[in-house]
Amino acid sequence: DRPTDRNGLNSCHQYSFIHSIITMISNIAARTASRMGSKRAMSSGGPKLHKAKDAWQTIAATRPVDPHPHNVFHPPYNKITVGCMIAGVLTAGYGSMYYGMWHQQKKQGYWK
C-alpha cells in the first residue's frame, strides 16, 4: 500500500491537491494578464460631442407639420373608469401578495 500522512491521505492525493491549487493560481494570473493587455489606452482627444442639438432648428424645419399630436392619453378622463382601473390594479396586487403569503404559510405548516 501507499504511505499515508496523519490525516489518512496518501501522497498521491496531496500531490493532486497541491497541483490543482497551483493550476488555479496560474489560470487566475493568466486571465488577469490577458485582461491587462486588452485594455485600450484613452485617447488624448477628449469625448466626442454630439452636434445634433446645434442643428436642431434645421432638422425641425424639414419635418412636416403635424396638425394633431397623437398623445397616448387624451383628456378628459372618465373618473369612474380611472377609479375602477386603479382599484383593480391595487386589488390584484394585494391579492397576489396575500395569496403568495397564504400558500407559503400552508406549505410550511404554520397555518392548518
Side-chain angles (χ1 to χ4, degrees):
D1 290 332
R2 295 183 180 163
T4 59
D5 66 353
R6 60 189 169 125
N7 295 326
L9 296 174
N10 61 29
S11 60
C12 181
H13 284 107
Q14 289 175 348
Y15 172 76
S16 175
F17 178 72
I18 292 171
H19 184 264
S20 66
I21 295 291
I22 292 171
T23 303
M24 182 178 65
I25 291 171
S26 64
N27 286 341
I28 291 171
R31 278 196 308 265
T32 304
S34 68
R35 274 197 307 261
M36 295 304 287
S38 67
K39 286 185 179 178
R40 294 183 292 167
M42 293 294 293
S43 63
S44 60
K48 294 182 180 180
L49 301 176
H50 297 283
K51 301 296 184 183
K53 66 178 180 177
D54 299 332
W56 182 249
Q57 297 298 328
T58 308
I59 295 170
T62 60
R63 293 184 175 173
V65 176
D66 189 7
H68 175 67
H70 298 282
N71 298 328
V72 176
F73 300 107
H74 294 280
Y77 306 109
N78 186 345
K79 291 181 181 179
I80 295 173
T81 304
V82 171
C84 289
M85 290 174 70
I86 291 173
V89 167
L90 291 176
T91 302
Y94 179 81
S96 64
M97 292 292 108
Y98 185 81
Y99 173 74
M101 182 192 68
W102 175 83
H103 176 70
Q104 289 297 323
Q105 296 287 14
K106 293 289 272 187
K107 184 176 80 169
Q108 295 172 6
Y110 294 114
W111 292 353
K112 302 292 179 194

